[in-house]
Amino acid sequence: MKKVKVYVTLRESVLDPQGSAVMGSLHKMGYGEVEDVRIGKYLELVISDSERDVDALVNELCHRLLANTVIEDYRYEIEEVVSQ
């Protein structure tokens, strides 16, 4: 079994109004040293062992559902789950 950690973020060229709002709030709270905030998504998937290539499967999932690849980038990490 594999655990896949997927990180989805807006592309650098896409404005992030939610991140800007958080940054404005942080500045108002006295955290002026924060220079930029970008908001994203974090997902964890547990994938059972199969004949399918895990990289191909995760890329397919991200392209079809988990990320809007027109405006978002994604990256992922795959870990082996050790049964106890």
Side-chain angles (χ1 to χ4, degrees), residues 26-82:
L26 290 171
H27 286 181
K28 287 178 186 174
M29 295 171 67
Y31 300 104
E33 60 270 6
V34 177
E35 293 186 18
D36 194 25
V37 176
R38 303 288 287 179
I39 303 293
K41 298 181 280 191
Y42 170 74
L43 304 98
E44 281 189 4
L45 310 172
V46 177
I47 299 175
S48 60
D49 293 328
S50 74
E51 296 297 316
R52 291 187 71 168
D53 178 62
V54 176
D55 283 302
L57 175 61
V58 173
N59 277 304
E60 183 178 325
L61 294 172
C62 288
H63 278 270
R64 295 192 69 194
L65 179 66
L66 304 179
N68 177 349
T69 56
V70 173
I71 61 169
E72 294 175 321
D73 290 323
Y74 67 89
R75 66 181 176 83
Y76 58 90
E77 302 167 358
I78 300 173
E79 299 175 358
E80 190 71 39
V81 175
V82 180

Side-chain angles (χ1 to χ4, degrees), residues 9-12 14-27 31-40:
T9 55
L10 287 172
R11 291 186 176 196
E12 287 294 321
V14 176
L15 294 176
D16 185 354
Q18 191 176 15
S20 296
V22 170
M23 186 174 68
S25 295
L26 290 171
H27 286 181
Y31 300 104
E33 60 270 6
V34 177
E35 293 186 18
D36 194 25
V37 176
R38 303 288 287 179
I39 303 293

